[in-house]
Amino acid sequence: MNTIKSLFFALVAILVALTTSCNGNAAKQTSDAAVAGETPVVLTIDEVLANADSLNGKKIVVEGVCTHICQHGGKKIFLMGSDDHISLRCEANEAIGQFNPDAVNNVVQVSGVLAEERIDEAYLVAWEEQLNAETDEKHGENTTAGCATEKKNRGEEVESNTPAKRIAGFRERIAARAAQEGKNYLSFYHLNADQYEVK
């Protein structure tokens, strides 16, 4: 019985190693192709997020189902990964202008540069000061609550409908990450899109 368990755990370890290796290879292939001027590998949302640190600042091509387009200007879409809790925000550049509403519920391929946004204590303090000065930037109709899709993308409680609750939630998550990883910030990634195609 112990031999069977040992074999099972060894097999699981090999599968995990292969999966990690495959994701790393996809990121390396995309990066290498971009440097060589070749057509880069089309990555899934899961592959991008699994390799976000190494892809940050690099031009990539991603593909996923568009689940949402922000109604406030149509400049942001969200592409879903392997489930609806995994998504990547894509922001249109000036050349794109705004995304076509027909993208929603369709597979969309987007190229652009992956960018990191960090939320740390300084970010949260500035947000609080902005709220106190009543200059909170408007997004959609519910200006202080934030876009539900954006909150879901950042792992926030969708029901957190006040900025104070959102800020407190970020502080808790930053403290947990600092305790576990020694990093006093949260990283969120998005794609600064320069081209897209609805498949």
Side-chain angles (χ1 to χ4, degrees):
M1 189 65 156
N2 286 338
T3 305
I4 292 173
K5 282 184 182 179
S6 297
L7 287 173
F8 174 75
F9 287 120
L11 181 61
V12 169
I14 290 170
L15 288 174
V16 168
L18 287 174
T19 302
T20 304
S21 173
C22 289
N23 284 343
N25 287 341
K28 184 172 179 354
Q29 287 173 354
T30 297
S31 178
D32 291 347
V35 169
E38 301 169 3
T39 303
V41 174
V42 177
L43 299 172
T44 66
I45 303 307
D46 293 56
E47 289 171 330
V48 171
L49 295 177
N51 297 287
D53 286 344
S54 63
L55 293 172
N56 186 28
K58 295 190 169 94
K59 176 134 182 181
I60 60 171
V61 178
V62 299
E63 189 171 278
V65 174
C66 176
T67 59
H68 177 76
I69 183 169
C70 287
Q71 298 304 310
H72 187 68
K75 295 189 172 289
K76 297 178 187 177
I77 60 171
F78 291 82
L79 301 183
M80 184 174 76
S82 57
D83 67 49
D84 66 352
H85 290 53
I86 300 170
S87 65
L88 180 68
R89 184 179 83 232
C90 301
E91 296 185 6
N93 69 1
E94 288 183 19
I96 292 174
Q98 63 184 27
F99 291 100
N100 187 329
D102 292 342
V104 177
N105 297 323
N106 285 301
V107 173
V108 179
Q109 190 175 99
V110 184
S111 70
V113 176
L114 191 67
E116 177 188 29
E117 178 184 8
R118 289 186 177 184
I119 294 184
D120 58 11
E121 184 58 26
Y123 178 99
L124 297 176
V125 168
W127 187 3
E128 287 172 326
E129 289 172 357
Q130 183 180 17
L131 290 170
N132 290 336
E134 297 183 351
T135 58
D136 192 21
E137 185 176 329
K138 305 206 180 307
H139 176 80
E141 292 186 30
N142 192 350
T143 59
T144 59
C147 171
T149 304
E150 180 77 30
K151 286 196 273 185
K152 187 175 183 181
N153 186 54
R154 290 182 170 188
E156 294 181 68
E157 292 291 325
V158 176
E159 291 78 28
S160 297
N161 58 7
T162 67
K165 286 183 182 177
R166 294 180 70 200
I167 290 168
F170 280 128
R171 281 199 170 109
E172 288 174 14
R173 291 170 62 192
I174 290 169
R177 187 175 193 207
Q180 292 175 352
E181 302 174 36
K183 295 182 178 180
N184 292 316
Y185 60 89
L186 300 175
S187 294
F188 298 102
Y189 294 90
H190 68 275
L191 193 66
N192 290 318
D194 55 35
Q195 291 183 333
Y196 79 103
E197 178 185 358
V198 179
K199 295 288 187 168

